[in-house]
Amino acid sequence: MLKTQTIVPALRVNNRNITQVFLEETLGMKIRLEDAAFGEFSAHGDKIIKLVLIESPSMRTRAVKRPKKLNRIVIKADSKEIEHLLATGSLFTKLYKGKNGYAFEAISPEGDRFLLHGEENVCELQEILPPVAFEKLADGRGLSRFTIEDIAINTPDMEASQTFYSQVLPEQPDLSFVEAQGPDLLVAPDSTWDLDSIRFSVAGDFNWAELESKLAQPFFKDKKGRFIQAMDPSKIELWFEK
């Protein structure tokens, strides 16, 4: 059975710089690699890539006619570090309190929604209203560790999406689906500024035949057998890498 080691969302954006500032200053991430149109982000305390930005100019890509395919990315981190971000000015659209501390929702300059929390279960959060006297950490600099806990995808056909992922990734808890309708929910991944792809790492000894047997649609496999690229029902690219 396919078990992925990491899950990395890749967002196609119009302006990488303004989204990078948001990820660094509002969400506390660290840029690890800048290469032309690409930016890769991790926590401050490790170098494991957790999120990718792909800048795509307007002559090839356009804004989404709402809603986006990406409903929300949920990030789990240390509650004290989250409070430090709030104390140093992270702008939020919603503020929450849980057993472990504060949490917040923020929307990027290009309309991508993030929830940053430190609870055992996101359902434990209760929305609250400011003002709140947040406390800073003496050595705070961002998130020392974090995980992508959930990528929620808007889909016009939940049954098709759930069936696809239950077959291909039956033990993948980091994906959820929200019923939605919109003109751009099934467009090609490089046509709009939205969730472009989801990247999964697998063990180096994984037998690709198991995955290939479950991919009904055409897929690409590199000659060295290190990489498979496929497409889900929403035309979000899936990258499986050893």
Side-chain angles (χ1 to χ4, degrees), residues 156-180:
D157 191 339
M158 281 189 62
E159 183 177 356
S161 294
Q162 290 172 336
T163 298
F164 173 83
Y165 281 99
S166 66
Q167 293 174 348
V168 176
L169 296 165
E171 292 191 358
Q172 188 63 52
D174 308 319
L175 297 170
S176 61
F177 305 94
V178 179
E179 188 80 34

Side-chain angles (χ1 to χ4, degrees), residues 182-203:
D184 286 338
L185 292 179
L186 298 176
V187 297
D190 60 352
S191 61
T192 57
W193 298 310
D194 201 344
L195 178 60
D196 173 88
S197 54
I198 304 173
R199 305 175 183 193
F200 305 91
S201 68
V202 300

Side-chain angles (χ1 to χ4, degrees), residues 140-153:
R141 56 174 181 165
L143 301 181
S144 60
R145 297 283 190 279
F146 71 86
T147 58
I148 300 292
E149 188 175 66
D150 181 59
I151 302 172
I153 298 171

Side-chain angles (χ1 to χ4, degrees), residues 57-73:
S58 58
M59 71 278 294
R60 295 200 302 267
T61 313
R62 59 174 174 81
V64 173
K65 296 174 183 176
R66 301 287 178 169
K68 285 191 166 193
K69 295 179 185 179
L70 179 61
N71 178 282
R72 184 175 72 171
I73 293 176

Side-chain angles (χ1 to χ4, degrees), residues 19 42 51 56 79 106 109 116 120 147 150 156 166 183 199 238:
T19 304
S42 73
L51 188 143
S56 189
S79 295
L116 189 55
E120 289 303 313
T147 58
D150 181 59
S166 66
R199 305 175 183 193
L238 305 180

